[in-house]
Amino acid sequence: MKALRFNKTGSLDELKVVSVDDPVPQSGEVIVRVLAAAINPSDVKSVLGKMKETKAPRIPGRDFAGIVISNSKWKGKSVFGTGGELGFSKDGTHAELVAVPEEGLVELPKNCSFSEATAMGLSYLTAWQSVVVAGQLKPQEIILITGAAGAVGSAAIRIAKSLGAKVIGTISSNPLAPDLLGAIQTISLNNEKLIDAVKKLTNGHGADLVFDVVGGPLFEPCIECLSQHGRQVAISNSGDPRVSFNLIDFYHKQARLIGVDTLKLSIEECANILKALVPGMEQQLFIPEDIDEYSLADAPRAYEEIQSGSTKNKKVIVFPMNSNAKNT
């Protein structure tokens, strides 16, 4: 089969399209013919040697959508999935075929293309794990989401809105998706001080839940925005990994700080989250960001574009057999 592969980490120049042996399924695994596979920032970091979980040589890729070709109860079914060891210590999805544990398979949602499904995988998984599982967001609660225009931020907005929460999102240079314009209250970090804006928008109550996808300089201001008994979920950090905040104010609020790392989720846990997302995908409450599609031969260029930050759209590798076909 053809696959994207790197023999050692450290540079995107190590990524090559090569011919390799077809994967051999282990006990409990099936072979999926990949029709679409998203490229995530963590895939880029993996090639660059910034992910300690990565074991080279390796085929990268966490997200996939395709058709099961193994002789099993899944044979012929259209599926998608993400997570587990895929792309890090186990060969991943940026290849024509991938071996996947059966418990990691989820049937492709109705009226959803392979490309759309894989584009939503990791971003919606991260948002759901953070907002629903870790953050325990409830109807009518106020949630503050940083980086609202990004893939994870916009996924979190749509999930929070579906739960009946009141959403405040921070924006900077990137615009919100058109369907979110007017659906939430926004704070421009270029023009407003975060804590003052949140107090104004919540009549002094603060945010019951903060989902911080940025970290770094926003960490302490987010902590200050918490309501009494507020929760803050952190998934990333920009700049210095060390942060500081007023501990006295924090414990007087009886607040909680929660970290989420989707790399610690097994592929079965990831599949269970994706199954919870399927109804919203089928109702088009949950939709992907804009997608740029690439052939496998052009995939190294997509990696470079993600590294440079030159485009905002989701990058998806597509393979023959009509990845844009909808599952009906």
Side-chain angles (χ1 to χ4, degrees):
M1 69 173 183
K2 295 290 187 182
L4 195 62
R5 193 170 186 265
F6 57 97
N7 288 326
K8 61 181 181 179
T9 61
S11 169
L12 293 185
D13 291 338
E14 297 296 330
L15 274 177
K16 307 291 182 184
V17 177
V18 296
S19 294
V20 297
D21 292 338
D22 291 354
V24 177
Q26 303 301 306
S27 177
E29 291 185 336
V30 297
I31 299 299
V32 175
R33 182 177 298 283
V34 181
L35 297 183
I39 308 175
N40 295 292
S42 55
D43 299 319
V44 176
K45 292 177 183 177
S46 181
V47 180
L48 294 175
K50 296 180 179 180
M51 307 292 286
K52 63 181 181 181
E53 295 84 359
T54 302
K55 304 291 187 294
R58 186 63 55 215
I59 297 171
R62 301 174 70 178
D63 292 344
F64 67 91
I67 297 173
V68 178
I69 62 173
S70 296
N71 286 321
S72 73
K73 65 179 182 180
W74 289 91
K75 186 173 183 179
K77 290 187 176 181
S78 298
V79 298
F80 77 119
T82 188
E85 299 173 322
L86 288 176
F88 297 104
S89 58
K90 176 180 172 63
D91 278 339
T93 64
H94 295 172
E96 293 175 325
L97 303 172
V98 64
V100 180
E102 286 190 70
E103 64 265 25
L105 300 176
V106 181
E107 286 201 55
L108 194 73
K110 292 181 175 62
N111 300 316
C112 189
S113 73
F114 295 102
S115 189
E116 289 168 340
T118 193
M120 296 173 67
L122 186 59
S123 55
Y124 273 86
L125 171 88
T126 303
W128 186 276
Q129 178 68 13
S130 301
V131 171
V132 179
V133 180
Q136 296 288 298
L137 183 65
K138 302 176 182 63
Q140 299 304 310
E141 282 195 319
I142 299 169
I143 179 172
L144 170 65
I145 300 171
T146 64
V152 176
S154 58
I157 291 172
R158 294 186 177 97
I159 290 170
K161 294 293 289 184
S162 75
L163 295 173
K166 300 174 182 178
V167 183
I168 301 171
T170 70
I171 55 174
S172 52
S173 57
N174 292 328
L176 282 175
D179 67 300
L180 297 179
L181 292 173
I184 69 169
Q185 296 175 303
T186 59
I187 297 171
S188 172
L189 295 178
N190 295 327
N191 303 316
E192 302 173 84
K193 186 177 179 181
L194 183 60
I195 179 62
D196 293 340
V198 169
K199 283 184 176 180
K200 182 178 179 180
L201 291 173
T202 63
N203 294 319
H205 175 81
D208 301 296
L209 177 64
V210 173
F211 180 33
D212 181 18
V213 307
V214 178
L218 276 186
F219 178 85
E220 185 172 12
C222 284
I223 288 280
E224 293 174 350
C225 291
L226 288 173
S227 67
Q228 192 71 21
H229 299 287
R231 298 95 65 198
Q232 181 158 322
V233 176
I235 65 164
S236 183
N237 189 70
S238 59
D240 190 341
R242 294 186 177 275
V243 295
S244 62
F245 61 98
N246 189 316
L247 183 59
I248 295 175
D249 287 348
F250 182 80
Y251 70 67
H252 279 315
K253 284 183 178 178
Q254 297 175 280
R256 283 177 284 163
L257 178 62
I258 308 162
V260 167
D261 181 1
T262 58
L263 282 174
K264 302 300 188 295
L265 297 175
S266 69
I267 198 164
E268 182 177 11
E269 290 172 319
C270 291
N272 287 336
I273 292 173
L274 295 182
K275 289 173 185 175
L277 287 162
V278 164
M281 295 170 72
E282 293 181 335
Q283 297 170 46
Q284 294 191 314
L285 296 174
F286 306 149
I287 60 175
E289 58 187 315
D290 292 337
I291 298 170
D292 290 334
E293 295 186 341
Y294 298 77
S295 67
L296 184 62
D298 284 338
R301 177 166 59 89
Y303 270 75
E304 292 170 359
E305 290 174 354
I306 293 173
Q307 184 187 26
S308 68
S310 58
T311 61
K312 176 180 177 290
N313 293 356
K314 189 73 174 185
K315 314 297 183 189
V316 174
I317 304 171
V318 294
F319 298 81
M321 289 182 65
N322 194 7
S323 65
N324 283 316
K326 301 280 185 177
N327 186 35
T328 57

